[in-house]
Amino acid sequence: MNIRKLNEIREVRNLSCVSIAEQSGVPYRTVSKLFSGENQNPTWETITAITRVLNCSLDELLNTHPSEIFSSEEIKRIRKFRSLSAHGKRMVDIVLDEEYHRFLEQMYREEKINAFNLVDDIRQLSYEQIARRPAMCAH
């Protein structure tokens, strides 16, 4: 069990051990021991109840790859994004997709990516944009 990863996910979700215990039905003492690292071998029932509250998969929880660790600035952005309405989230997605598309084109112009990668990324991006773009924001 990766305690650091477990706590990172808890922080990103902005949840306390008390709220995790209440929402999961797992006793607070068990939750507290798990998040402190005192209990390194939780039962299957405990870990599945906690992953449900954390809204993460067991694979995500066990993943220890360094690129999965968020900076404090990224955590702040995630928290802000999660507080937005569905419309606000769609708007952020549209802007992010547009900026990513612009970035891909720039990388292609600078010959840092090849045309096949560019076409695949733009095609996928375009399908995602069409599916999410509200009618009032169409170009």
Side-chain angles (χ1 to χ4, degrees):
M1 179 68 51
N2 184 338
I3 301 307
R4 189 169 82 189
K5 182 69 174 179
L6 184 66
N7 279 296
E8 285 175 5
I9 294 170
R10 182 181 61 79
E11 287 177 20
V12 167
R13 307 296 194 263
N14 201 25
L15 293 169
S16 67
C17 288
V18 171
S19 63
I20 291 170
E22 290 171 351
Q23 293 177 46
S24 68
V26 175
Y28 170 77
R29 186 165 165 79
T30 303
V31 172
S32 178
K33 285 182 177 182
L34 181 62
F35 281 89
S36 71
E38 192 177 334
N39 179 358
Q40 293 276 329
N41 193 20
T43 65
W44 177 255
E45 291 79 14
T46 296
I47 200 64
T48 55
I50 289 174
T51 56
R52 228 179 350 253
V53 172
L54 292 176
N55 193 26
C56 70
S57 68
L58 193 53
D59 289 338
E60 181 182 2
L61 185 59
L62 297 176
N63 185 350
T64 58
H65 192 276
S67 68
E68 293 295 319
I69 299 171
F70 299 112
S71 71
S72 61
E73 190 165 319
E74 289 170 321
I75 290 171
K76 287 177 189 175
R77 287 183 180 139
I78 291 167
R79 286 182 179 151
K80 285 179 183 179
F81 181 82
R82 287 176 179 222
S83 68
L84 297 175
S85 67
H87 174 76
K89 289 177 182 176
R90 282 192 306 273
M91 295 299 106
V92 170
D93 285 341
I94 289 168
V95 170
L96 187 59
D97 289 344
E98 292 291 331
E99 282 301 304
Y100 184 65
H101 184 228
R102 186 186 60 75
F103 166 77
L104 290 175
E105 288 176 338
Q106 178 182 351
M107 295 298 287
Y108 175 70
R109 281 193 302 276
E110 295 174 7
E111 298 181 4
K112 293 181 180 175
I113 59 174
N114 66 43
F116 293 111
N117 291 344
L118 178 66
V119 169
D120 287 343
D121 284 347
I122 289 174
R123 184 178 299 126
Q124 182 61 33
L125 184 62
S126 297
Y127 292 142
E128 291 170 1
Q129 283 178 323
I130 291 167
R132 283 197 303 258
R133 179 165 289 157
M136 64 184 211
C137 293
H139 298 292

